[in-house]
Amino acid sequence: MLPPKDLKTVMLVCKLWKGMVDDPKLWTWSVLSVKTRLDLQKLQIHRLQLIQYIRVCPSGSDHTWIQSEDLMNLFQAVVDIPSITMLYGIESYNLGSVEPSLLGRVLGKLDVLKPLHCSNLSTAQFEHLFTAIAQKESPMKELIVVCFSLTELSPTLFSSAVSNVKELKLSFCSEEQMLALLQEIVETEKPLSKLDLSCCRMNNIDPDLVGKALNKLEAVRFALCRHGWVSHELVTATLRGVLEDGSNLKKLMLNDISSSYARGLDEELLRQTAKKIGQFWSKTRKVVSAYQQELRRLRAISIFD
């Protein structure tokens, strides 16, 4: 197949050659930029009927043009082209005016979905969106969720949706949401393999459940550990699970742990875990530097060696 630059050149030679390369299968690589209302008409072009990517001008830029009616037209056009799986820039728009079922059909079909906490979505819109994600036959590749706006969403629907993705980043989840997700991971076979957690309420959840669930995944990252949102008991249960033969966990990262936090973990457990999966921590450097000399003098936790 001709490279994109050559395809564009052939289009300009004559009508005969243009017809020869007008096959939509030759143009799946195209990224359609939508900067003006007129750009929506490009979605009617025959050769673009199998494109996968659309880029809209970010909200707030000098070229912002999309109004409520335009959003509806854009979303309907995306529905009419089933191959579209990426909608770059849409997360920056106020989507509150989009009909809930239409929003769910469009955003739920994407491969990657970034946080929508600034998009002014209603509970009904979130319900349609998470239902679409949960029912997606081909799991979403990456989902990033900030849970400030999801307090009224059913934990059951929440867990069934966020577990039907390959890579998941969660921030500020409630205890009910985290409990439902961990139970979903343990009790069912889901495509979720990578989980990134930040400031999620977990400390009152059974540590054994946490350890069992996280060790069914391939990669787990705890961010901002210095804020105390993940307890020693949860970390200990996870590390013990790593050492068991049935663990799938190949990569674990505890970000921003302090020396005082590390002293509450079993030294031998840390050593054995590091031996099996390699380094799994990052230091809170401003705190660590103050303790480094004393920790070494006391032959303290080898995590800081």
Side-chain angles (χ1 to χ4, degrees):
M1 189 177 86
L2 292 174
K5 183 177 180 180
D6 291 342
L7 276 175
K8 294 177 182 179
T9 301
V10 170
M11 288 283 297
L12 302 176
V13 174
C14 64
K15 290 184 178 180
L16 177 60
W17 283 30
K18 179 180 179 180
M20 293 174 62
V21 296
D22 199 38
D23 187 343
K25 295 179 181 178
L26 300 176
W27 297 86
T28 57
W29 51 269
S30 299
V31 179
L32 178 62
S33 294
V34 180
K35 298 179 180 180
T36 71
R37 188 171 290 108
L38 293 177
D39 287 336
L40 289 176
Q41 298 178 12
K42 297 178 183 178
L43 292 169
Q44 305 300 320
I45 298 175
H46 173 70
R47 65 177 177 277
L48 299 181
Q49 294 309 296
L50 291 179
I51 62 169
Q52 302 175 56
Y53 315 110
I54 292 180
R55 187 185 306 278
V56 296
C57 184
S59 177
S61 66
D62 294 337
H63 302 288
T64 299
W65 56 273
I66 294 184
Q67 304 299 321
S68 297
E69 182 180 349
D70 300 317
L71 280 172
M72 295 294 288
N73 292 334
L74 173 62
F75 274 49
Q76 188 58 57
V78 173
V79 169
D80 294 339
I81 302 180
S83 58
I84 295 175
T85 57
M86 291 294 295
L87 197 53
Y88 299 106
I90 196 62
E91 66 279 352
S92 65
Y93 282 85
N94 184 335
L95 304 177
S97 63
V98 179
E99 196 275 325
S101 63
L102 179 60
L103 180 137
R105 291 173 65 191
V106 171
L107 300 187
K109 65 181 282 192
L110 303 180
D111 280 343
V112 176
L113 187 59
K114 295 183 178 180
L116 297 169
H117 59 286
C118 296
S119 299
N120 197 32
L121 298 189
S122 66
T123 298
Q125 288 175 310
F126 273 121
E127 288 177 346
H128 279 273
L129 171 58
F130 275 66
T131 298
I133 296 174
Q135 297 175 349
K136 205 170 187 288
E137 293 184 4
S138 179
M140 189 172 284
K141 293 180 179 179
E142 182 180 355
L143 175 64
I144 305 174
V145 179
V146 179
C147 297
F148 288 133
S149 305
L150 303 178
T151 54
E152 297 184 16
L153 194 67
S154 161
T156 300
L157 175 58
F158 172 84
S159 63
S160 62
V162 299
S163 61
N164 193 33
V165 303
K166 295 181 179 180
E167 298 184 21
L168 174 65
K169 296 181 180 180
L170 290 179
S171 301
F172 303 102
C173 289
S174 69
E175 183 176 315
E176 292 77 13
Q177 291 169 335
M178 283 305 305
L179 177 60
L181 173 59
L182 294 168
Q183 290 174 333
E184 185 84 17
I185 294 172
V186 169
E187 296 171 2
T188 62
E189 293 299 325
K190 290 288 189 173
L192 182 62
S193 61
K194 296 182 180 180
L195 178 61
D196 190 312
L197 298 173
S198 178
C199 300
C200 296
R201 296 182 179 274
M202 300 174 60
N203 284 340
N204 292 325
I205 298 176
D206 180 8
D208 289 338
L209 173 63
V210 175
K212 187 175 182 180
L214 298 186
N215 276 277
K216 287 191 67 175
L217 308 178
E218 295 180 4
V220 174
R221 175 179 175 267
F222 293 101
L224 303 174
C225 292
R226 68 180 182 274
H227 295 310
W229 65 272
V230 54
S231 68
H232 291 104
E233 291 78 11
L234 297 185
V235 173
T236 297
T238 302
L239 298 185
R240 287 176 177 169
V242 171
L243 300 180
E244 295 179 359
D245 292 336
S247 175
N248 295 324
L249 199 55
K250 298 179 178 64
K251 185 176 182 180
L252 174 66
M253 181 56 63
L254 306 175
N255 277 6
D256 291 337
I257 62 172
S258 66
S259 57
S260 59
Y261 182 93
R263 281 198 295 267
L265 299 171
D266 181 77
E267 181 179 356
E268 183 60 26
L269 180 60
L270 293 172
R271 287 197 184 101
Q272 291 298 322
T273 303
K275 182 178 179 180
K276 182 173 181 180
I277 63 173
Q279 182 168 323
F280 58 91
W281 63 87
S282 68
K283 309 170 186 178
T284 304
R285 298 191 181 280
K286 291 183 180 179
V287 176
V288 171
S289 60
Y291 284 94
Q292 190 74 20
Q293 185 174 357
E294 179 66 8
L295 285 172
R296 289 180 176 177
R297 185 183 69 80
L298 296 174
R299 300 175 61 82
I301 301 172
S302 60
I303 195 171
F304 294 112
D305 288 344

